[in-house]
Amino acid sequence: MLLPVSIIVLFMQRYTVALRRYNLQLLNATLVIPEIQATTRAKGISPKFKSFSYLYDEDHFIDALSNDVAIVRGLPKDLREARKKIKFPTVSPRNSATPEYYITQVLPRLVKSKVIGIIVNGGNCLQSILPTSLEEFQRLRCRVAFHALRLRPQIQALGSQIVGRLRASGRPYLAYHPGLLRDTLAFHGCAELFQDIHTELVQHRRNQMIKRGTVKEQLTVDSVSRKMAGLCPLMPEEVGLLLQALGYPPTTIIFLAGSETFGGQRMLIPLRAMFANLVDRTSLCSQKELSDLVGPEDPLASDLPQPPPPKSEKQLIEEWKRAGPRPRPLPPPPARPFYAHEKEGWYGWIGENDTEPDASPIEFRRQAHRLLWDALDYFVSVEADAFFPGFHNDGSGWPDYSSLIMGHRLYQKPYGITYRPDRKIVAALFENVSDHRYHPPRNWTIAAREHLNRSAGVEGVVSSAMLSRPVSFLSHPLPECSCRTPKSPAVQPVKDSNGRLLFGGEKECPDWMVRSLAMASAKNSEPQNEDYEDELPEDDSSPDMQQESDRSDVNKSSEQDEEMDPDD
């Protein structure tokens, strides 16, 4: 499970990275266990802290890639000292970097310095579509993303418990990620969707991006036109209305994923009014379960401003005597005090300062905690019966949280319902009913339902592939990351205008994989041990029952439309 985190990867010039079948030697190097930047900045998280194993199973990562890449857990002592003194180079390749870039730019520097660091932002450091000669290399990327990178057992165990609690009532659940992130809103110019302090915060971050060169546009843009172009996230209220149009009843269980929802809980009020069973990790887990996942931590001083120490009576008398001749003017009235709850969040500085202060150690620790919550929610979202993204980078940038979940679900659970709404079409739909959103005409409900159902089918997969796959194969890992067993039916291949394969046409799985699948099936059919009685239950619903449920939901929605729409 590859999360959209920034990592540091170190390579040593000692061994040969030999890829199967083609024996392609891109770098004559040994891989050092990667480090997650958000955790390396949070010093003193735990006395047993290790960066990579904060999220992932380190032993499994090494074992899974033992036949492909030589991996060590850390640098030798002499190289470790050189790293502390920053004596070896680091590079930050673009998402579109080609294999030739590593051979011509990275390899010479590696040979010269013996160690090189590669900073990977967003989980992608190589072009998405590789030439046919690098087919096996692409499969290696698939094994890393979907098999070698496995969340550590504690995260998986708690995630399985959450899934079990969500399905305890015997009903399916839908996972929803709002995509309301401050960086996303600032990058795409969506500040005017909010009010007051939140617009100012988004504009401040956008100004920072312009200074760094990340955004090459003006500071102020028309957010309404951006939203109509499909560049801004769907608001939770809009998602609730779309789910109602799809026929989801008010009792639907919706799991809210993601550690950050910009604007806070007030943004979720309309959605919670439509669907009372809107839950998240905090309502499904006890505080002890979450703290056990974090583990023991070293104490840190609070980052809240401390009031000045009180003055003694003697000090006050001395100040009075030194204050000058009488009569004295009255002092100015004190300014409104800022209370502690106004400074607790990352936005607390804006009440007193014009510039955003540097993050404190405790804020770095909160960022590391948010990685844990994102990993936990990622697991639950992949296992969900349906997934609805409030925003995903459909070919417009690096892979984000929702697009990675959608790609993982396409690889692991292609039978699951994954909506891929076209936000430009959705914005036009809401523009047509701007005056009566909660009582839309019946033809609007049918149009919204048809669009979303198409987005969850083959048509949505193909259109998403044409947009996302050229940018990131993690958002659409087909067909390179899949194969067809002899018993599975062949799917009609779908190609783009350039003749590149987008969907279907997968090759037959190799014999060793077929044997592994047979062994796994036999193992799953065995009776489970009592120690695992709380594991994720199997979904016993048959396709016929699912179709009947869908038809009943559609009928319910039609009846509701007739009741709610007096003008139709």
Side-chain angles (χ1 to χ4, degrees):
M1 292 184 177
L2 186 61
L3 296 172
V5 296
S6 179
I7 63 173
I8 303 174
V9 185
L10 299 176
F11 290 96
M12 292 192 304
Q13 187 203 7
R14 289 201 173 183
Y15 301 97
T16 300
V17 179
L19 301 179
R20 294 181 187 171
R21 190 175 179 184
Y22 286 94
N23 196 29
L24 177 67
Q25 297 177 353
L26 283 181
L27 296 175
N28 185 25
T30 294
L31 172 67
V32 182
I33 286 289
E35 297 178 358
I36 304 171
Q37 280 191 302
T39 60
T40 54
R41 291 194 296 257
K43 300 299 182 184
I45 288 182
S46 166
K48 298 180 180 180
F49 167 73
K50 294 179 73 176
S51 178
F52 186 78
S53 57
Y54 190 73
L55 289 183
Y56 298 109
D57 189 336
E58 187 174 302
D59 294 331
H60 175 78
F61 179 78
I62 296 174
D63 294 340
L65 300 177
S66 59
N67 295 328
D68 300 294
V69 183
I71 304 176
V72 294
R73 296 181 187 271
L75 291 169
K77 186 176 181 180
D78 55 337
L79 296 178
R80 207 178 306 136
E81 295 296 326
R83 186 191 178 188
K84 291 180 181 179
K85 299 177 182 179
I86 317 178
K87 288 188 176 181
F88 59 80
T90 59
V91 296
S92 183
R94 296 181 177 180
N95 290 350
S96 58
T98 62
E100 288 74 19
Y101 166 81
Y102 290 92
I103 295 174
T104 59
Q105 301 293 327
V106 178
L107 184 57
R109 301 175 73 176
L110 172 62
V111 172
K112 182 179 179 180
S113 60
K114 295 185 179 180
V115 179
I116 191 169
I118 299 180
I119 300 177
V120 182
N121 293 310
N124 200 4
C125 58
L126 188 63
Q127 67 184 66
S128 179
I129 302 175
L130 295 179
T132 309
S133 59
L134 299 179
E135 176 185 3
E136 192 61 25
F137 187 60
Q138 185 79 321
R139 289 195 177 276
L140 174 59
R141 298 170 74 188
C142 299
R143 291 197 293 276
V144 171
F146 301 113
H147 296 282
L149 284 174
R150 188 170 69 184
L151 297 175
R152 61 182 169 99
Q154 294 87 347
I155 298 177
Q156 293 195 76
L158 186 56
S160 297
Q161 290 181 18
I162 292 176
V163 173
R165 291 164 187 171
L166 286 167
R167 290 181 174 154
S169 62
R171 293 180 294 164
Y173 72 93
L174 179 143
Y176 161 58
H177 181 246
L180 293 174
L181 306 177
R182 187 183 175 197
D183 288 346
T184 301
L185 297 165
F187 182 83
H188 292 285
C190 305
E192 296 173 7
L193 302 181
F194 298 86
Q195 296 176 353
D196 306 327
I197 190 173
H198 294 93
T199 297
E200 189 174 346
L201 287 166
V202 173
Q203 288 295 81
H204 187 275
R205 178 58 56 85
R206 183 174 173 84
N207 190 35
Q208 289 179 325
M209 290 181 172
I210 292 173
K211 290 180 179 179
R212 292 196 300 262
T214 307
V215 175
K216 303 183 186 300
E217 297 175 338
Q218 296 180 352
L219 176 62
T220 303
V221 294
D222 185 358
S223 297
V224 176
S225 63
R226 292 297 178 97
K227 184 173 180 62
M228 292 304 298
L231 296 176
C232 295
L234 298 174
M235 303 304 282
E237 177 188 13
E238 297 171 332
V239 172
L241 294 172
L242 291 174
L243 293 178
Q244 283 186 346
L246 279 167
Y248 283 93
T251 56
T252 301
I253 301 173
I254 300 178
F255 177 79
L256 182 69
S259 59
E260 177 189 349
T261 299
F262 188 77
Q265 289 294 317
R266 73 170 187 173
M267 302 302 300
L268 302 171
I269 291 175
L271 179 62
R272 201 178 295 277
M274 288 181 266
F275 296 94
N277 290 331
L278 179 65
V279 296
D280 59 10
R281 83 194 79 84
T282 60
S283 56
L284 293 168
C285 301
S286 65
Q287 187 60 41
K288 183 179 184 304
E289 288 175 323
L290 295 176
S291 60
D292 288 346
L293 187 64
V294 172
E297 294 182 322
D298 297 331
L300 287 177
S302 173
D303 58 348
L304 297 178
Q306 301 297 325
K311 296 179 181 180
S312 64
E313 184 177 356
K314 183 178 179 181
Q315 289 175 319
L316 293 173
I317 294 175
E318 289 296 328
E319 288 182 1
W320 175 262
K321 291 179 179 180
R322 294 195 304 267
R326 280 83 167 168
R328 296 169 184 161
L330 292 174
R336 184 187 76 81
F338 286 92
Y339 299 99
H341 71 273
E342 297 179 282
K343 299 176 180 291
E344 287 181 355
W346 46 263
Y347 49 81
W349 55 273
I350 203 167
E352 294 179 333
N353 304 318
D354 294 330
T355 57
E356 187 168 359
D358 296 331
S360 62
I362 199 167
E363 176 59 27
F364 282 133
R365 177 173 289 183
R366 291 193 192 105
Q367 292 177 9
H369 290 176
R370 285 195 286 269
L371 282 181
L372 280 180
W373 313 144
D374 281 339
L376 189 64
D377 293 352
Y378 187 99
F379 181 91
V380 178
S381 299
V382 170
E383 296 294 333
D385 300 279
F387 177 73
F388 197 106
F391 180 86
H392 62 287
N393 279 327
D394 42 3
S396 58
W398 57 89
D400 63 335
Y401 190 83
S402 289
S403 63
L404 291 178
I405 291 176
M406 294 161 70
H408 203 128
R409 286 175 61 85
L410 183 61
Y411 175 80
Q412 181 174 315
K413 298 186 67 172
Y415 52 86
I417 301 174
T418 303
Y419 296 101
R420 299 172 176 84
D422 186 330
R423 294 186 300 278
K424 187 174 181 179
I425 295 177
V426 171
L429 285 171
F430 279 111
E431 183 71 12
N432 294 334
V433 290
S434 56
D435 296 332
H436 44 278
R437 284 187 168 191
Y438 282 84
H439 300 283
R442 182 175 174 78
N443 58 352
W444 184 93
T445 302
I446 293 174
R449 183 185 305 157
E450 288 178 349
H451 169 67
L452 293 173
N453 285 333
R454 283 197 304 269
S455 75
V458 175
E459 183 178 337
V461 174
V462 173
S463 61
S464 175
M466 297 180 70
L467 292 171
S468 302
R469 189 166 172 265
V471 179
S472 171
F473 86 100
L474 294 173
S475 302
H476 189 85
L478 300 179
E480 293 89 352
C481 293
S482 62
C483 59
R484 181 172 51 84
T485 60
K487 294 182 180 180
S488 60
V491 180
Q492 186 67 24
V494 178
K495 298 182 179 180
D496 62 7
S497 57
N498 297 322
R500 290 180 300 206
L501 195 63
L502 295 176
F503 184 77
E506 293 86 357
K507 297 182 179 179
E508 248 187 54
C509 300
D511 293 339
W512 63 267
M513 189 178 292
V514 176
R515 289 195 297 269
S516 299
L517 289 172
M519 292 174 62
S521 299
K523 186 176 180 180
N524 290 336
S525 63
E526 295 176 358
Q528 293 184 348
N529 195 316
E530 292 181 356
D531 295 337
Y532 297 92
E533 61 182 3
D534 294 330
E535 287 282 334
L536 181 66
E538 293 290 335
D539 187 3
D540 295 329
S541 58
S542 64
D544 295 335
M545 293 175 63
Q546 183 66 33
Q547 290 177 2
E548 291 177 8
S549 175
D550 292 341
R551 284 195 294 270
S552 64
D553 288 342
V554 170
N555 293 334
K556 275 185 189 175
S557 176
S558 302
E559 294 169 4
Q560 289 173 355
D561 285 340
E562 292 172 358
E563 293 173 1
M564 291 190 300
D565 184 16
D567 300 326
D568 187 15

